[in-house]
Amino acid sequence: LEDTKQRTLKKEYSIASLLTLEQLQQLLNTPNIIQDRKLILIDSHNHASSLFKEGELYYYFDPNCNIGEVQTVSIDEIAKLIFDAHFNGIQPYATPSPLGFRMFSFDATAVSYPSQQEVLESIQPVLNPQPRYANEASGLSQAAHIGSLGSVQYFLEQRVDPNLQDNSGSTALMRAASKGHI
């Protein structure tokens, strides 16, 4: 993807897991996760939205919402908007649900993000929930789907079964391959 100045959008970081609303708030409040002027694409099992931060303002966009872009200074409000948009408000906030975040920039400036392992260890995500929700995707499967190698490594180190299948019969490896993630 290029902008009007022929700058190419580059992925800088990604992280994925099964998250409750509280864990999502913890993740988004982690220092250096949400950085100024970085496009963040948010994926779940069946939806995508985006987030952008500039100064104290967060800009959240859900393409399925009629109100357009939401501006706020509250990261907790952003977390609730994300959870509601991706899980249609039908999953309880305490239900671990698959979310993936990919951070992009047009800048060539190197930035420092925390390691996925450290972030995931700090929020203590559910590793193998029973029953699983949202297409029965696991955190490992969501990480493979968005190409978050650090998150995949975390789940494998935690001995998450790589052969778990979602409700369509796909494993994490199959989801990674379908998206071209080597």
Side-chain angles (χ1 to χ4, degrees):
L1 180 64
E2 289 183 351
D3 70 0
T4 57
K5 298 177 184 174
Q6 277 71 46
R7 296 179 301 175
T8 302
L9 194 62
K10 293 185 178 24
K11 183 171 104 174
E12 296 179 341
Y13 183 80
S14 60
I15 190 166
S17 185
L18 294 178
L19 301 168
T20 63
L21 177 61
E22 181 180 330
Q23 290 168 324
L24 175 57
Q25 290 167 334
Q26 288 176 313
L27 175 98
L28 296 176
N29 279 302
T30 301
N32 296 323
I33 284 283
I34 300 177
Q35 299 189 19
D36 274 3
R37 305 191 54 75
K38 308 294 179 186
L39 174 63
I40 302 172
L41 295 181
I42 306 159
D43 289 291
S44 61
H45 65 294
N46 66 352
H47 190 59
S49 61
S50 62
L51 180 63
F52 188 80
K53 178 180 184 265
E54 186 165 29
E56 298 298 314
L57 278 176
Y58 297 94
Y59 302 87
Y60 178 72
F61 180 72
D62 175 8
N64 289 348
C65 183
N66 293 335
I67 61 173
E69 180 181 271
V70 175
Q71 296 178 23
T72 184
V73 295
S74 169
I75 201 67
D76 290 343
E77 182 181 348
I78 291 293
K80 189 173 182 308
L81 287 167
I82 291 169
F83 209 92
D84 287 345
H86 286 264
F87 306 109
N88 300 319
I90 57 173
Q91 289 196 190
Y93 292 136
T95 301
S97 302
L99 286 168
F101 298 83
R102 292 176 288 163
M103 288 64 162
F104 295 88
S105 176
F106 286 112
D107 300 332
T109 308
V111 294
S112 177
Y113 288 95
S115 81
Q116 291 91 342
Q117 290 85 350
E118 289 173 8
V119 174
L120 293 171
E121 284 173 10
S122 74
I123 64 173
Q124 294 291 298
V126 172
L127 299 175
N128 288 310
Q130 294 298 326
R132 295 189 310 272
Y133 301 95
N135 203 32
E136 297 190 8
S138 66
L140 173 62
S141 180
Q142 188 66 25
H145 177 75
I146 68 162
S148 180
L149 184 57
S151 298
V152 166
Q153 289 171 332
Y154 169 82
F155 287 112
L156 292 175
E157 288 169 4
Q158 299 301 312
R159 303 195 188 290
V160 171
D161 183 358
N163 297 310
L164 283 175
Q165 296 179 355
D166 62 21
N167 66 2
S168 69
S170 296
T171 64
L173 180 60
M174 294 165 77
R175 290 190 74 197
S178 74
K179 294 293 183 176
H181 303 303
I182 296 172

